[in-house]
Amino acid sequence: MLQLVPYRRRRDNDRTMQGNGSSSVKSNAHKQILVVEDEKDLLELLCLNLRREGYVCRSTADGRAAIAEAQRQPPDLVLLDRMLPGTSGDEVARRLRSAPRTAQVPIVMLTAKCAEVDQVVGLSIGADDYITKPFSMAVLLARIAALLRRSQAGVPQPQVLTLGPVVLDADRHEATVHDVPISLTATEFRLLRALMAAQGRVLSRNQLIDKALGEGVVVTDRTIDVHVTALRKKMGEGGQWICTVRGVGYTFRDPNRGE
């Protein structure tokens, strides 16, 4: 029997559905999910289970706030209730799909609207998956994982990245700042590419280690800090675009942009 999640609050010591063990938790590490749900108890339960699966969970109960949060830092996936007060989940989905920064972010609608026409409407306005309440937590987690796998596999890595004064050409293995070539090591090049490809999202030091040095490499966080320092120095004025987010990691964005 699948466990269906009701509308009551669970105590922290209640049993929750688990994923596929430590390996799935490790693979989910640092993937960010924005949960938009106005029922406080359900919101807490969703975030609890997502964090146990290794995801970074951000949450809000307000549609307008969800749009702003997704634009500020695009998540890897949005878990969205349709029936929100004020700005509806449908409007949130439309706005996310119409904005370049969030157009490709997967959206899973989680709602009590279970009629076939409701599901058709939800999918037509931008949802990638549609799950009705009450629902199985195990099935929800499995569908989130599957959607993330598909979305990551289907997104081609851009070969030429341009942000501010910096241009990176992956095919030519060249990088320029204000049209002046800079000489980078292979690790520095991969590091710069990862930061620019993230399109303003913050990458943790562990994520940068995986992208620049390779998964499974055992190094300290300080190793990435050293590479970033060297990269900034070589980039001159362009190095200011590599911004430190204290306690989290690094992001690539306009240094003059307000937080």
Side-chain angles (χ1 to χ4, degrees):
M1 292 289 292
L2 290 175
Q3 178 188 15
L4 297 182
V5 176
Y7 292 101
R8 65 177 178 84
R9 182 175 183 177
R10 297 188 177 199
R11 298 183 302 274
D12 288 344
N13 60 354
D14 281 347
R15 182 176 180 84
T16 54
M17 296 299 294
Q18 298 298 311
N20 296 323
S22 59
S23 60
S24 66
V25 171
K26 183 177 179 180
S27 65
N28 295 336
H30 313 302
K31 291 186 175 69
Q32 298 190 18
I33 296 181
L34 176 60
V35 182
V36 189
E37 170 61 60
D38 65 321
E39 291 188 40
K40 182 180 178 181
D41 293 345
L42 181 55
L43 179 62
E44 291 177 356
L45 180 61
L46 289 167
C47 289
L48 171 65
N49 280 272
L50 288 168
R51 288 174 180 136
R52 286 186 175 180
E53 290 297 303
Y55 298 109
V56 176
C57 187
R58 295 150 51 194
S59 65
T60 179
D62 178 80
R64 188 179 299 274
I67 296 169
E69 177 64 16
Q71 290 297 324
R72 182 188 70 82
Q73 185 178 342
D76 293 290
L77 182 142
V78 176
L79 187 56
L80 177 65
D81 183 18
R82 284 189 72 179
M83 295 186 291
L84 297 170
T87 303
S88 69
D90 290 359
E91 180 61 21
V92 172
R94 291 190 187 96
R95 295 276 295 275
L96 295 182
R97 283 288 171 261
S98 65
R101 276 174 65 81
T102 54
Q104 301 302 318
V105 174
I107 298 173
V108 177
M109 282 190 170
L110 186 63
T111 175
K113 302 182 75 170
C114 57
E116 182 178 286
V117 64
D118 292 322
Q119 298 183 47
V120 171
V121 170
L123 294 169
S124 67
I125 62 178
D128 297 279
D129 203 348
Y130 193 101
I131 298 176
T132 58
K133 303 173 184 177
F135 59 93
S136 160
M137 185 63 73
V139 171
L140 173 63
L141 294 172
R143 290 169 79 164
I144 287 173
L147 185 53
L148 285 170
R149 286 195 302 270
R150 291 197 302 270
S151 65
Q152 291 168 356
V155 177
Q157 182 76 10
Q159 297 304 302
V160 179
L161 299 168
T162 303
L163 287 172
V166 184
V167 178
L168 183 145
D169 188 327
D171 285 336
R172 296 176 178 271
H173 206 272
E174 294 176 348
T176 62
V177 177
H178 292 301
D179 298 324
V180 177
I182 53 176
S183 178
L184 302 177
T185 67
T187 297
E188 291 167 349
F189 190 88
R190 289 193 296 268
L191 180 60
L192 179 59
R193 184 181 185 185
L195 287 166
M196 294 180 70
Q199 298 181 348
R201 290 173 53 194
V202 178
L203 298 179
S204 69
R205 288 173 173 81
N206 285 336
Q207 286 176 298
L208 290 171
I209 288 171
D210 289 344
K211 293 177 181 295
L213 302 176
E215 295 186 9
V217 175
V218 180
V219 295
T220 65
D221 290 350
R222 179 60 182 160
T223 302
I224 283 296
D225 294 337
V226 171
H227 283 300
V228 169
T229 298
L231 179 58
R232 281 171 169 161
K233 184 175 181 180
K234 289 184 177 181
M235 293 174 65
E237 181 182 327
Q240 299 175 19
W241 281 67
I242 303 177
C243 301
T244 303
V245 180
R246 293 189 180 280
V248 183
Y250 297 95
T251 185
F252 196 94
R253 64 186 180 209
D254 187 345
N256 298 315
R257 191 191 80 182
E259 293 299 328

